[in-house]
Amino acid sequence: MKNFLAGCLVLWFGIYGWSQGVFGITADNSPAFQELSSSTDCPQCWKRGDKPGPVAAKTAAGSKFKIICELDGKHGSDPDRLEHRREIALVGKAYEAAFESLPPHLQETALETVAVINHKNVVYTKSSVAGWSAEDDPEYVYPDRGYFPNGTIKVNYTEYFVRILELAEKMGRNDPKTAKAFQDSIGEIIAHELLHAWQYHRNPVRDLMSVPGGCPQGLCDEGLLEETRLKLEYESQAFETAKLFDPARRRILADALEKSLKTDPKSVMGPLLSEKILGGLKDTLRAMADLEDAGKSPMEAYKTLYYGQYIPARNVRALVAINQMLERENAHIWGDSSMESNPCANKKTIFAETAPYLASKKLPRLYPYVAAVKARYQQELERLEKNLRWKGIICE
């Protein structure tokens, strides 16, 4: 999401950042959620076991991934940072391991994009976030379709992610099962971010946060609203990359972390990897495994963070349409199923869809325009009540 703070709250391994249940892990079976999720399934893209495309031979023949370290390796005395050649080597090894599991379009993207080990965004590279691409990159310039360095589409990885790569190497050294689980989980992160780079290379989008004044008086621009919906669809597609990898990986890693934290926590702790962070990661892995076991997308865990950007704003426009219809001279209420012509039924649907998001105190802090949307929503509800009374319509 273009508000970069949002990226900091997305779950790592679950995916890509870690938070202590900020938004809760709950499924959303509402019509609005289904509307956003239904068009994103891509089984032909995410079928595990597919043979790699022809570009795999390029890597096997010795082509190098484009990996750079910000600050030109001048890390100073910062204890969170590894020596820059070591950082590059760890990321390169992770790319090599993930490459054969990627579908052809992501293999191509892996070879074309630059992977940047981020050190300049000090707050975010040290938080529990693994990475981001154009969808969250403050250095991405819309509507650029070019890959860095001539364009602005790149994949950023954090100091935290590098420390996880180091932990994977340590924990997997004498445990092939754990090593493979780490490899798949890290591959999932790489695939997720590469897909975002590919999406923006093909069709860049903005969102309601990225354009100042996009929601005057809480009524959001229709074009930006549609772009926000598409951006959420991109995110849903990126979460589907989880299907490329062994579904058992999450529980295997959770068990390995739990054992280490109980028997010898210092063996897994380190810079940016406190006992609290690793304990939260363990819990997140299990929660995500539970969702997947239930046949649900991991994205369902973050419905407030993601869909709270779109559904309230969309429903404000729906309320405005209903009110305008009721206020037309000699307007009539027909018996069809359109939004405007069934105000009572649609008022109930809109309220049920919107209320959980507007109850969140965090959404307006992450996305300031939501505060104006919330105020406009209340105004339109009150306006609707007056219009219904004026029309003599009583809603049960």
Side-chain angles (χ1 to χ4, degrees):
M1 303 295 101
K2 196 62 179 177
N3 173 15
F4 193 63
L5 282 172
C8 297
L9 296 172
V10 185
L11 301 186
W12 197 88
F13 274 122
I15 310 176
Y16 318 121
W18 174 73
S19 167
Q20 296 181 337
V22 173
F23 296 100
I25 295 184
T26 55
D28 188 346
N29 295 314
S30 69
F33 183 92
Q34 298 302 322
E35 171 198 332
L36 287 169
S37 303
S38 62
S39 62
T40 61
D41 191 27
C42 187
Q44 71 273 21
C45 296
W46 315 128
K47 183 179 178 182
R48 289 183 62 237
D50 283 353
K51 293 181 179 180
V55 294
K58 297 179 183 178
T59 294
S63 293
K64 301 293 184 181
F65 297 110
K66 302 169 187 174
I67 303 169
I68 64 174
C69 181
E70 283 187 337
L71 307 182
D72 297 322
K74 298 174 183 177
H75 295 174
S77 58
D78 191 322
D80 296 335
R81 297 167 178 165
L82 294 171
E83 195 275 329
H84 72 282
R85 284 167 294 192
R86 171 74 169 143
E87 291 182 335
I88 291 171
L90 284 169
V91 173
K93 181 180 177 182
Y95 263 59
E96 290 283 357
F99 193 83
E100 66 179 20
S101 297
L102 302 177
H105 65 297
L106 293 190
Q107 290 181 337
E108 291 278 10
T109 306
L111 293 169
E112 293 179 17
T113 55
V114 175
V116 178
I117 301 168
N118 188 285
H119 296 298
K120 291 191 297 188
N121 259 314
V122 177
V123 173
Y124 303 116
T125 197
K126 295 180 185 298
S127 65
S128 302
V129 180
W132 63 90
S133 187
E135 86 290 356
D136 278 323
D137 195 342
E139 296 182 351
Y140 169 70
V141 180
Y142 176 87
D144 185 15
R145 294 171 183 257
Y147 290 123
F148 184 82
N150 296 320
T152 56
I153 298 174
K154 59 185 184 298
V155 177
N156 295 272
Y157 296 104
T158 64
E159 292 173 11
Y160 169 82
F161 179 65
V162 171
R163 287 295 180 177
I164 288 289
L165 298 180
E166 185 184 44
L167 177 65
E169 194 174 77
K170 183 192 305 182
M171 291 184 66
R173 188 169 293 124
N174 299 310
D175 185 346
K177 188 177 180 181
T178 297
K180 183 61 167 62
F182 262 117
Q183 177 181 312
D184 282 349
S185 295
I186 290 164
E188 178 185 351
I189 292 166
I190 291 170
H192 183 111
E193 299 306 339
L194 286 173
L195 182 59
H196 281 318
W198 180 80
Q199 289 164 336
Y200 278 71
H201 179 62
R202 295 181 72 227
N203 184 30
V205 297
R206 299 167 298 171
D207 61 17
L208 291 167
M209 267 298 291
S210 66
V211 180
C215 296
Q217 291 82 50
L219 186 63
C220 298
D221 177 82
E222 283 190 275
L224 282 176
L225 195 58
E226 172 58 21
E227 287 188 70
T228 299
R229 187 200 66 79
L230 182 56
K231 190 171 183 179
L232 291 172
E233 188 169 313
Y234 282 0
E235 200 65 43
S236 183
Q237 290 170 354
F239 273 89
E240 291 293 296
T241 60
K243 296 178 181 179
L244 292 167
F245 303 94
D246 184 0
R249 67 192 179 283
R250 302 194 200 280
R251 294 198 191 280
I252 293 171
L253 282 186
D255 291 345
L257 282 170
E258 182 175 53
K259 181 179 178 181
S260 294
L261 289 170
K262 282 183 177 180
T263 60
D264 187 10
K266 291 184 178 180
S267 68
V268 290
M269 291 166 56
L272 304 178
L273 301 178
S274 67
E275 187 170 6
K276 181 180 179 180
I277 290 290
L278 292 173
L281 175 57
K282 166 185 66 70
D283 293 340
T284 296
L285 288 166
R286 291 220 169 99
M288 301 312 299
D290 288 343
L291 275 175
E292 290 178 328
D293 287 349
K296 299 172 183 176
S297 166
M299 194 174 177
E300 292 188 40
Y302 321 122
K303 64 175 184 177
T304 302
L305 170 64
Y306 287 121
Y307 300 110
Q309 299 171 60
Y310 170 74
I311 290 174
R314 181 201 63 183
N315 286 349
V316 164
R317 294 201 69 92
L319 285 172
V320 169
I322 294 172
N323 281 319
Q324 288 176 340
M325 185 278 301
L326 290 172
E327 291 164 0
R328 291 188 196 113
E329 186 177 0
N330 298 322
H332 297 284
I333 306 301
W334 307 104
D336 61 41
S337 59
S338 68
M339 179 66 77
E340 294 88 350
S341 59
N342 285 277
C344 289
N346 286 294
K347 174 190 170 186
K348 183 176 181 180
T349 299
I350 288 170
F351 183 81
E353 287 182 349
T354 311
Y357 300 105
L358 297 188
S360 169
K361 295 180 180 180
K362 293 181 172 63
L363 269 174
R365 293 202 296 266
L366 292 171
Y367 309 103
Y369 71 87
V370 171
V373 169
K374 182 176 181 179
R376 182 62 178 265
Y377 174 80
Q378 296 299 333
Q379 292 172 11
E380 294 299 329
L381 273 184
E382 293 171 7
R383 180 183 170 195
L384 178 59
E385 292 291 347
K386 291 179 181 178
N387 282 327
L388 290 173
R389 286 196 299 270
W390 179 70
K391 288 287 184 181
I393 300 170
I394 300 174
C395 297
E396 296 180 358

